[in-house]
Amino acid sequence: MPKINMKLHFAWLLAILLGFSSCEKSPDVVPNLRSKLDYSLLTTATPYKQYFIDAKGDTTVDLKSGNTHHKMFQALNYYLGAAVRDNKALDANLMKAMYANSANSFTDIANLKIVGTELNTSGLALRNITASSKSSTEAESARARLDALLGEMATVSNSYANTASKGVAGKLGTYLVDAKGIETAQIIQKSLIGALQLDYIGNVLLNTGLTANNYTLVSGKKYTALEHHWDEAYALLTLNPIYLAGSTNTVRGTSESFLGSYIWEYNKASYANFHLAFLKGRAAIVNNDMTELKKQAAYIRNESEKAIAAAAVGYLAKWKSGTTDAARAHAIGEGLGFIYSLRYCTSYNVDAKFSDDILNALINSPNGFWDLTNDKINAASEAISTKFKL
């Protein structure tokens, strides 16, 4: 039997092992699709799309889906206002169709630069992304609640010619309220700020969505799934290329709606940092820098939630400072909507019970708004301020 050359034997084994290892990709190695981006290039004056381009110079940013959802929200909100603006009864089925994007329900709104056919044919719907971070049961419950509120809004709108009083729906000043003095339109708007914008941006796109693929391009697109998640979050927050450009603590420099507006109004300490946070997070995706990405996502989530909580407390304070029933009813309507939305503040570990307990203590009485007292308002304000360390 021939002798085995041990050196050759080990060399042969080593070659085989090296061959196997060279065929395997290390799970820690992430291929870069883009050239590294220098964070120092980014400033508060940098338009969102400026630096996010591919090797051919084509943009890798697509804001259409986020902007479409934003415009759908604007369109639905605009229709809600018609009861007061145009003194007319609203159509419950039309509002529910707009919420679900069915039956070609959207029409042109020139002053908002909304083209109805673009929304109708988009394949997107507000209803589909409402409470989408929750379980299917919880999400459907939240969506059914919105459908019910839209039905209530139609019922209340039939009273546009009445003067509201305890037990009677109608107008208090220029605000339309139900028989318990609650401004239903405000409940709907603020509930959607939380259940749709805050939840989808903060709890989906900038949270669980951060695990999306960043290795390969989405088929037929110039972006990865992770890049698109981040872009969609920005586009759902604002329609502007620079969020809150030129804003000061006393003057909002851009036209913003919903969450984008209330971040400026109720988070004065942080609103000026939001645009740069979005830019740095997007650059971190380009650089495959997960540490920076998670840092910027956490900042956006935390500070957005803080704005919602501060808005709830702020409107409770406006109820106390209001000098007319109309002013107080409008304040509490906005406040109640924001209190409902607190349940989507997951960075602060808030759940549905926390917001429901506050809501029930405030208005779960026969006459709702008309039964409010300073003690009820103070207890609600203290609970929220304590939870969010305001």
Side-chain angles (χ1 to χ4, degrees):
M1 187 172 182
K3 291 183 178 179
I4 297 173
N5 186 317
M6 296 305 291
K7 288 185 178 179
L8 288 175
H9 179 68
F10 284 119
W12 177 71
L13 287 175
L14 181 61
I16 292 174
L17 290 172
L18 288 173
F20 278 126
S21 64
S22 66
C23 293
E24 296 176 358
K25 284 187 177 179
S26 167
D28 297 323
V29 176
V30 179
N32 280 323
L33 293 175
R34 323 280 183 209
S35 298
K36 291 276 187 177
L37 226 172
D38 184 351
Y39 294 118
S40 68
L41 292 173
L42 308 172
T43 73
T44 55
T46 303
Y48 185 78
K49 297 173 70 172
Q50 181 170 335
Y51 290 113
F52 307 126
I53 56 177
D54 63 17
K56 295 180 180 180
D58 295 332
T59 184
T60 62
V61 175
D62 185 347
L63 303 175
K64 188 172 183 180
S65 58
N67 281 174
T68 297
H69 280 129
H70 190 106
K71 289 181 178 181
M72 286 177 168
F73 191 177
Q74 285 184 313
L76 176 58
N77 188 66
Y78 187 79
Y79 183 76
L80 291 174
V84 171
R85 185 179 60 249
D86 303 328
N87 286 321
K88 72 173 188 179
L90 304 182
D91 184 334
N93 290 329
L94 177 60
M95 288 186 283
K96 292 175 185 178
M98 293 172 76
Y99 182 46
N101 190 14
S102 61
N104 294 316
S105 50
F106 292 104
T107 56
D108 295 352
I109 306 174
N111 61 310
L112 295 178
K113 298 180 181 179
I114 288 174
V115 179
T117 54
E118 290 181 357
L119 304 187
N120 292 329
T121 59
S122 67
L124 303 174
L126 298 177
R127 199 178 198 281
N128 293 346
I129 63 169
T130 300
S132 50
S133 76
K134 304 297 185 181
S135 69
S136 58
T137 300
E138 289 177 290
E140 187 52 39
S141 177
R143 294 162 188 171
R145 174 182 176 273
L146 260 298
D147 283 329
L149 283 168
L150 294 171
E152 289 174 23
M153 183 66 205
T155 299
V156 173
S157 70
N158 289 314
S159 302
Y160 68 83
N162 296 343
T163 298
S165 60
K166 187 183 297 186
V168 178
K171 284 185 182 176
L172 280 178
T174 59
Y175 306 115
L176 185 64
V177 301
D178 67 12
K180 295 179 72 172
I182 307 300
E183 193 180 0
T184 310
Q186 289 299 329
I187 303 297
I188 294 169
Q189 185 198 99
K190 272 55 183 187
S191 293
L192 280 173
I193 286 175
L196 188 141
Q197 280 187 299
L198 187 70
D199 187 58
Y200 194 56
I201 292 172
N203 297 328
V204 179
L205 297 172
L206 301 190
N207 187 16
T208 57
L210 297 185
T211 62
N213 182 290
N214 198 37
Y215 297 77
T216 58
L217 300 182
V218 174
S219 179
K221 304 296 182 181
K222 298 181 184 295
Y223 50 74
T224 68
L226 182 56
E227 287 174 327
H228 192 56
H229 282 183
W230 196 268
D231 296 340
E232 191 174 5
Y234 181 81
L236 182 54
L237 177 70
T238 182
L239 300 176
N240 292 303
I242 302 177
Y243 173 55
L244 292 176
S247 295
T248 67
N249 284 359
T250 54
V251 178
R252 197 181 69 221
T254 53
S255 176
E256 304 290 348
S257 301
F258 315 125
L259 179 60
S261 176
Y262 286 104
I263 287 171
W264 170 80
E265 187 173 355
Y266 282 99
N267 195 339
K268 296 298 187 186
S270 300
Y271 74 84
N273 301 322
F274 265 75
H275 187 70
L276 192 55
F278 268 104
L279 292 176
K280 286 184 175 180
R282 186 58 162 80
I285 296 173
V286 171
N287 295 342
N288 284 313
D289 182 352
M290 291 304 295
T291 299
E292 183 69 18
L293 176 63
K294 290 178 180 178
K295 174 184 173 183
Q296 299 304 332
Y299 180 85
I300 292 165
R301 294 179 65 208
N302 293 346
E303 297 304 317
S304 296
E305 292 179 10
K306 191 179 294 182
I308 294 294
V313 172
Y315 281 106
L316 291 172
K318 288 182 180 180
W319 178 90
K320 292 176 67 176
S321 63
T323 57
T324 65
D325 284 340
R328 286 190 289 270
H330 183 59
I332 200 61
E334 299 207 57
L336 293 173
F338 279 123
I339 292 168
Y340 169 82
S341 289
L342 294 178
R343 71 194 60 219
Y344 299 101
C345 295
T346 58
S347 293
Y348 283 86
N349 297 313
V350 181
D351 57 14
K353 184 179 185 305
F354 178 82
S355 63
D356 284 342
D357 285 349
I358 296 173
L359 290 171
N360 289 334
L362 283 169
I363 57 165
N364 192 16
S365 65
N367 296 305
F369 161 75
W370 303 101
D371 293 338
L372 283 171
T373 64
N374 279 342
D375 287 345
K376 288 182 179 182
I377 295 293
N378 290 339
S381 181
E382 183 178 354
I384 298 167
S385 297
T386 300
K387 183 71 171 176
F388 288 84
K389 298 180 173 60
L390 297 178

mmCIF file of all heavy atoms in Angstrom, residues 28-54:
data_model
loop_
_atom_site.group_PDB
_atom_site.id
_atom_site.type_symbol
_atom_site.label_atom_id
_atom_site.label_comp_id
_atom_site.label_asym_id
_atom_site.label_seq_id
_atom_site.Cartn_x
_atom_site.Cartn_y
_atom_site.Cartn_z
ATOM 1 N N ASP A 28 -22.741 38.737 6.420
ATOM 2 C CA ASP A 28 -22.457 40.083 6.917
ATOM 3 C C ASP A 28 -22.069 41.040 5.800
ATOM 4 O O ASP A 28 -21.915 42.234 6.022
ATOM 5 C CB ASP A 28 -21.327 40.034 7.956
ATOM 6 C CG ASP A 28 -21.720 39.219 9.176
ATOM 7 O OD1 ASP A 28 -22.894 39.289 9.561
ATOM 8 O OD2 ASP A 28 -20.855 38.525 9.711
ATOM 9 N N VAL A 29 -21.868 40.523 4.600
ATOM 10 C CA VAL A 29 -21.435 41.371 3.491
ATOM 11 C C VAL A 29 -22.649 41.809 2.684
ATOM 12 O O VAL A 29 -23.390 40.974 2.167
ATOM 13 C CB VAL A 29 -20.429 40.637 2.582
ATOM 14 C CG1 VAL A 29 -20.083 41.497 1.382
ATOM 15 C CG2 VAL A 29 -19.180 40.278 3.382
ATOM 16 N N VAL A 30 -22.885 43.112 2.611
ATOM 17 C CA VAL A 30 -24.006 43.656 1.858
ATOM 18 C C VAL A 30 -23.456 44.366 0.628
ATOM 19 O O VAL A 30 -22.668 45.305 0.749
ATOM 20 C CB VAL A 30 -24.818 44.653 2.710
ATOM 21 C CG1 VAL A 30 -25.973 45.215 1.897
ATOM 22 C CG2 VAL A 30 -25.326 43.971 3.962
ATOM 23 N N PRO A 31 -23.813 43.926 -0.568
ATOM 24 C CA PRO A 31 -23.274 44.568 -1.766
ATOM 25 C C PRO A 31 -23.803 45.994 -1.903
ATOM 26 O O PRO A 31 -24.983 46.257 -1.682
ATOM 27 C CB PRO A 31 -23.794 43.676 -2.903
ATOM 28 C CG PRO A 31 -25.017 43.012 -2.340
ATOM 29 C CD PRO A 31 -24.748 42.827 -0.881
ATOM 30 N N ASN A 32 -22.946 46.923 -2.261
ATOM 31 C CA ASN A 32 -23.355 48.306 -2.464
ATOM 32 C C ASN A 32 -23.848 48.506 -3.884
ATOM 33 O O ASN A 32 -23.109 48.265 -4.844
ATOM 34 C CB ASN A 32 -22.177 49.253 -2.195
ATOM 35 C CG ASN A 32 -21.965 49.493 -0.723
ATOM 36 O OD1 ASN A 32 -22.919 49.579 0.029
ATOM 37 N ND2 ASN A 32 -20.716 49.598 -0.313
ATOM 38 N N LEU A 33 -25.086 48.927 -4.023
ATOM 39 C CA LEU A 33 -25.622 49.234 -5.347
ATOM 40 C C LEU A 33 -25.240 50.637 -5.788
ATOM 41 O O LEU A 33 -25.246 50.937 -6.973
ATOM 42 C CB LEU A 33 -27.149 49.114 -5.321
ATOM 43 C CG LEU A 33 -27.733 47.717 -5.106
ATOM 44 C CD1 LEU A 33 -29.241 47.808 -4.989
ATOM 45 C CD2 LEU A 33 -27.331 46.796 -6.234
ATOM 46 N N ARG A 34 -24.942 51.501 -4.837
ATOM 47 C CA ARG A 34 -24.669 52.910 -5.133
ATOM 48 C C ARG A 34 -23.277 53.293 -4.631
ATOM 49 O O ARG A 34 -22.702 52.618 -3.770
ATOM 50 C CB ARG A 34 -25.676 53.817 -4.412
ATOM 51 C CG ARG A 34 -27.089 53.298 -4.325
ATOM 52 C CD ARG A 34 -27.851 53.499 -5.584
ATOM 53 N NE ARG A 34 -29.239 53.061 -5.452
ATOM 54 C CZ ARG A 34 -29.953 52.606 -6.460
ATOM 55 N NH1 ARG A 34 -29.436 52.545 -7.668
ATOM 56 N NH2 ARG A 34 -31.210 52.225 -6.278
ATOM 57 N N SER A 35 -22.793 54.406 -5.138
ATOM 58 C CA SER A 35 -21.581 54.977 -4.575
ATOM 59 C C SER A 35 -21.914 55.559 -3.213
ATOM 60 O O SER A 35 -23.025 56.055 -2.986
ATOM 61 C CB SER A 35 -21.049 56.086 -5.490
ATOM 62 O OG SER A 35 -20.705 55.567 -6.755
ATOM 63 N N LYS A 36 -20.967 55.477 -2.302
ATOM 64 C CA LYS A 36 -21.181 56.018 -0.957
ATOM 65 C C LYS A 36 -21.532 57.499 -1.017
ATOM 66 O O LYS A 36 -21.008 58.252 -1.837
ATOM 67 C CB LYS A 36 -19.920 55.834 -0.113
ATOM 68 C CG LYS A 36 -19.616 54.390 0.247
ATOM 69 C CD LYS A 36 -20.394 53.966 1.478
ATOM 70 C CE LYS A 36 -19.960 52.586 1.939
ATOM 71 N NZ LYS A 36 -20.641 52.173 3.171
ATOM 72 N N LEU A 37 -22.424 57.905 -0.127
ATOM 73 C CA LEU A 37 -22.882 59.297 -0.085
ATOM 74 C C LEU A 37 -22.309 59.968 1.161
ATOM 75 O O LEU A 37 -22.424 59.432 2.269
ATOM 76 C CB LEU A 37 -24.406 59.334 -0.045
ATOM 77 C CG LEU A 37 -25.122 60.316 -0.969
ATOM 78 C CD1 LEU A 37 -26.622 60.085 -0.929
ATOM 79 C CD2 LEU A 37 -24.805 61.743 -0.638
ATOM 80 N N ASP A 38 -21.704 61.118 0.993
ATOM 81 C CA ASP A 38 -21.125 61.871 2.104
ATOM 82 C C ASP A 38 -22.242 62.590 2.854
ATOM 83 O O ASP A 38 -22.922 63.459 2.304
ATOM 84 C CB ASP A 38 -20.115 62.876 1.553
ATOM 85 C CG ASP A 38 -19.377 63.640 2.641
ATOM 86 O OD1 ASP A 38 -19.770 63.517 3.820
ATOM 87 O OD2 ASP A 38 -18.437 64.376 2.307
ATOM 88 N N TYR A 39 -22.445 62.229 4.126
ATOM 89 C CA TYR A 39 -23.515 62.845 4.919
ATOM 90 C C TYR A 39 -23.360 64.362 5.022
ATOM 91 O O TYR A 39 -24.349 65.082 5.167
ATOM 92 C CB TYR A 39 -23.534 62.245 6.332
ATOM 93 C CG TYR A 39 -23.906 60.791 6.391
ATOM 94 C CD1 TYR A 39 -23.002 59.842 6.878
ATOM 95 C CD2 TYR A 39 -25.159 60.346 5.989
ATOM 96 C CE1 TYR A 39 -23.336 58.500 6.957
ATOM 97 C CE2 TYR A 39 -25.501 59.008 6.062
ATOM 98 C CZ TYR A 39 -24.586 58.083 6.540
ATOM 99 O OH TYR A 39 -24.936 56.755 6.610
ATOM 100 N N SER A 40 -22.131 64.852 4.949
ATOM 101 C CA SER A 40 -21.904 66.294 5.110
ATOM 102 C C SER A 40 -22.465 67.115 3.958
ATOM 103 O O SER A 40 -22.611 68.332 4.062
ATOM 104 C CB SER A 40 -20.409 66.582 5.277
ATOM 105 O OG SER A 40 -19.714 66.315 4.070
ATOM 106 N N LEU A 41 -22.801 66.452 2.840
ATOM 107 C CA LEU A 41 -23.411 67.158 1.707
ATOM 108 C C LEU A 41 -24.847 67.580 2.011
ATOM 109 O O LEU A 41 -25.390 68.490 1.381
ATOM 110 C CB LEU A 41 -23.410 66.268 0.464
ATOM 111 C CG LEU A 41 -22.065 65.926 -0.173
ATOM 112 C CD1 LEU A 41 -22.265 64.894 -1.275
ATOM 113 C CD2 LEU A 41 -21.408 67.179 -0.728
ATOM 114 N N LEU A 42 -25.453 66.906 2.962
ATOM 115 C CA LEU A 42 -26.874 67.091 3.234
ATOM 116 C C LEU A 42 -27.098 68.234 4.218
ATOM 117 O O LEU A 42 -26.472 68.295 5.273
ATOM 118 C CB LEU A 42 -27.465 65.805 3.803
ATOM 119 C CG LEU A 42 -27.189 64.536 2.988
ATOM 120 C CD1 LEU A 42 -27.658 63.301 3.737
ATOM 121 C CD2 LEU A 42 -27.857 64.616 1.619
ATOM 122 N N THR A 43 -28.011 69.128 3.864
ATOM 123 C CA THR A 43 -28.356 70.253 4.729
ATOM 124 C C THR A 43 -29.870 70.404 4.764
ATOM 125 O O THR A 43 -30.591 69.760 3.998
ATOM 126 C CB THR A 43 -27.738 71.567 4.228
ATOM 127 O OG1 THR A 43 -28.440 72.008 3.042
ATOM 128 C CG2 THR A 43 -26.257 71.406 3.913
ATOM 129 N N THR A 44 -30.332 71.300 5.600
ATOM 130 C CA THR A 44 -31.784 71.541 5.684
ATOM 131 C C THR A 44 -32.318 72.191 4.405
ATOM 132 O O THR A 44 -33.533 72.257 4.220
ATOM 133 C CB THR A 44 -32.101 72.456 6.879
ATOM 134 O OG1 THR A 44 -31.326 73.656 6.770
ATOM 135 C CG2 THR A 44 -31.770 71.759 8.193
ATOM 136 N N ALA A 45 -31.415 72.668 3.534
ATOM 137 C CA ALA A 45 -31.833 73.293 2.269
ATOM 138 C C ALA A 45 -31.700 72.340 1.083
ATOM 139 O O ALA A 45 -31.886 72.744 -0.066
ATOM 140 C CB ALA A 45 -31.008 74.551 2.015
ATOM 141 N N THR A 46 -31.402 71.063 1.342
ATOM 142 C CA THR A 46 -31.240 70.083 0.268
ATOM 143 C C THR A 46 -32.592 69.502 -0.129
ATOM 144 O O THR A 46 -33.258 68.871 0.701
ATOM 145 C CB THR A 46 -30.321 68.930 0.723
ATOM 146 O OG1 THR A 46 -29.057 69.454 1.130
ATOM 147 C CG2 THR A 46 -30.116 67.941 -0.415
ATOM 148 N N PRO A 47 -33.024 69.692 -1.383
ATOM 149 C CA PRO A 47 -34.269 69.043 -1.818
ATOM 150 C C PRO A 47 -34.156 67.532 -1.667
ATOM 151 O O PRO A 47 -33.083 66.950 -1.865
ATOM 152 C CB PRO A 47 -34.374 69.453 -3.292
ATOM 153 C CG PRO A 47 -33.596 70.722 -3.388
ATOM 154 C CD PRO A 47 -32.440 70.549 -2.439
ATOM 155 N N TYR A 48 -35.250 66.905 -1.324
ATOM 156 C CA TYR A 48 -35.231 65.488 -0.974
ATOM 157 C C TYR A 48 -34.610 64.615 -2.072
ATOM 158 O O TYR A 48 -33.851 63.681 -1.784
ATOM 159 C CB TYR A 48 -36.650 65.000 -0.654
ATOM 160 C CG TYR A 48 -36.676 63.569 -0.169
ATOM 161 C CD1 TYR A 48 -36.324 63.256 1.139
ATOM 162 C CD2 TYR A 48 -37.023 62.521 -1.031
ATOM 163 C CE1 TYR A 48 -36.323 61.944 1.590
ATOM 164 C CE2 TYR A 48 -37.028 61.213 -0.585
ATOM 165 C CZ TYR A 48 -36.671 60.925 0.719
ATOM 166 O OH TYR A 48 -36.658 59.631 1.161
ATOM 167 N N LYS A 49 -34.883 64.902 -3.333
ATOM 168 C CA LYS A 49 -34.449 64.017 -4.412
ATOM 169 C C LYS A 49 -33.049 64.322 -4.955
ATOM 170 O O LYS A 49 -32.545 63.599 -5.811
ATOM 171 C CB LYS A 49 -35.454 64.081 -5.570
ATOM 172 C CG LYS A 49 -36.845 63.594 -5.210
ATOM 173 C CD LYS A 49 -37.854 63.822 -6.323
ATOM 174 C CE LYS A 49 -37.610 62.915 -7.505
ATOM 175 N NZ LYS A 49 -38.698 62.994 -8.503
ATOM 176 N N GLN A 50 -32.404 65.359 -4.464
ATOM 177 C CA GLN A 50 -31.200 65.869 -5.126
ATOM 178 C C GLN A 50 -30.072 64.853 -5.286
ATOM 179 O O GLN A 50 -29.503 64.707 -6.366
ATOM 180 C CB GLN A 50 -30.669 67.097 -4.386
ATOM 181 C CG GLN A 50 -29.419 67.700 -5.036
ATOM 182 C CD GLN A 50 -29.057 69.042 -4.440
ATOM 183 O OE1 GLN A 50 -29.899 69.751 -3.904
ATOM 184 N NE2 GLN A 50 -27.789 69.407 -4.542
ATOM 185 N N TYR A 51 -29.715 64.151 -4.232
ATOM 186 C CA TYR A 51 -28.532 63.303 -4.265
ATOM 187 C C TYR A 51 -28.809 61.815 -4.454
ATOM 188 O O TYR A 51 -27.873 61.023 -4.583
ATOM 189 C CB TYR A 51 -27.723 63.480 -2.975
ATOM 190 C CG TYR A 51 -27.046 64.828 -2.874
ATOM 191 C CD1 TYR A 51 -27.440 65.745 -1.903
ATOM 192 C CD2 TYR A 51 -26.033 65.187 -3.745
ATOM 193 C CE1 TYR A 51 -26.831 66.990 -1.801
ATOM 194 C CE2 TYR A 51 -25.411 66.435 -3.658
ATOM 195 C CZ TYR A 51 -25.810 67.325 -2.685
ATOM 196 O OH TYR A 51 -25.207 68.559 -2.591
ATOM 197 N N PHE A 52 -30.070 61.453 -4.510
ATOM 198 C CA PHE A 52 -30.394 60.026 -4.570
ATOM 199 C C PHE A 52 -30.597 59.610 -6.030
ATOM 200 O O PHE A 52 -31.726 59.573 -6.539
ATOM 201 C CB PHE A 52 -31.601 59.716 -3.701
ATOM 202 C CG PHE A 52 -31.427 60.219 -2.288
ATOM 203 C CD1 PHE A 52 -32.361 61.042 -1.687
ATOM 204 C CD2 PHE A 52 -30.278 59.889 -1.570
ATOM 205 C CE1 PHE A 52 -32.173 61.518 -0.400
ATOM 206 C CE2 PHE A 52 -30.076 60.354 -0.280
ATOM 207 C CZ PHE A 52 -31.031 61.180 0.304
ATOM 208 N N ILE A 53 -29.483 59.315 -6.681
ATOM 209 C CA ILE A 53 -29.476 58.984 -8.106
ATOM 210 C C ILE A 53 -28.642 57.725 -8.325
ATOM 211 O O ILE A 53 -27.816 57.352 -7.488
ATOM 212 C CB ILE A 53 -28.903 60.134 -8.953
ATOM 213 C CG1 ILE A 53 -27.496 60.509 -8.470
ATOM 214 C CG2 ILE A 53 -29.833 61.351 -8.904
ATOM 215 C CD1 ILE A 53 -26.825 61.589 -9.296
ATOM 216 N N ASP A 54 -28.855 57.076 -9.468
ATOM 217 C CA ASP A 54 -28.069 55.881 -9.778
ATOM 218 C C ASP A 54 -26.860 56.243 -10.630
ATOM 219 O O ASP A 54 -26.590 57.427 -10.879
ATOM 220 C CB ASP A 54 -28.942 54.814 -10.441
ATOM 221 C CG ASP A 54 -29.521 55.252 -11.781
ATOM 222 O OD1 ASP A 54 -29.007 56.237 -12.368
ATOM 223 O OD2 ASP A 54 -30.475 54.614 -12.257
#
